[in-house]
Amino acid sequence: MNWTVRLTVNGEPRTLALDDPRVTLLDLLRERLHLTGTKKGCDRGQCGACTVLVDGRRINSCLTLAVSLDGAAITTIEGLAQGDRLHPVQEAFIAHDALQCGFCTPGQIMSAVGLINEGHAGGDPERVREGMSGNLCRCSAYVGIVEAVLDAQATLAEDKERAA
Ligand code: FES
Ligand code: FES
């Protein structure tokens, strides 16, 4: 038996036939679509390395069955840059040295984008720490990560004001 799931992935419509309804979004992205920027850390919802956006909200893709997302829009780390221009959160991570080995970084960045979209960062380091607490970094790059999120939040707020 086959299951079909229709997704928009980084702006591109995709129709995928699955031979097993237990395929997670994470495995679908990495193994079927070869979008390997999204990382598999714990594979059990504890590390945040697999964070992507579904309809603009962040989720752990290792805990989400692909078939449950029919019709959804997925954004992965590969979909953030606009051509050669990195997303402000990506730029801020580089500017603040918010990564060491980089394994957790795609998940951290997607989580930061979601957090800022949700309006939960509030320019407050404590709120950022709390909002990012589901994303673990074994290298402990947390100081730079919090600075990067605050910086990107300010840049995005300025961009919004300028566009209004
Ligand atoms: S791989 Fe999904 S939370 Fe760790
Ligand atoms: S930079 Fe290495 S795990 Fe976060």
Side-chain angles (χ1 to χ4, degrees), residues 30-48:
R30 288 181 57 85
E31 288 165 24
R32 288 286 301 276
L33 301 178
H34 309 296
L35 293 169
T36 52
T38 306
K39 299 295 185 250
K40 185 181 278 195
C42 63
D43 210 16
R44 53 175 65 185
Q46 289 173 353
C47 73

Side-chain angles (χ1 to χ4, degrees), residues 2 4 22 40 43 50 58 66 80 121 156 159:
N2 269 347
T4 301
R22 293 167 301 178
K40 185 181 278 195
D43 210 16
C50 64
R58 53 206 175 129
L80 281 191
L156 285 162
D159 288 354

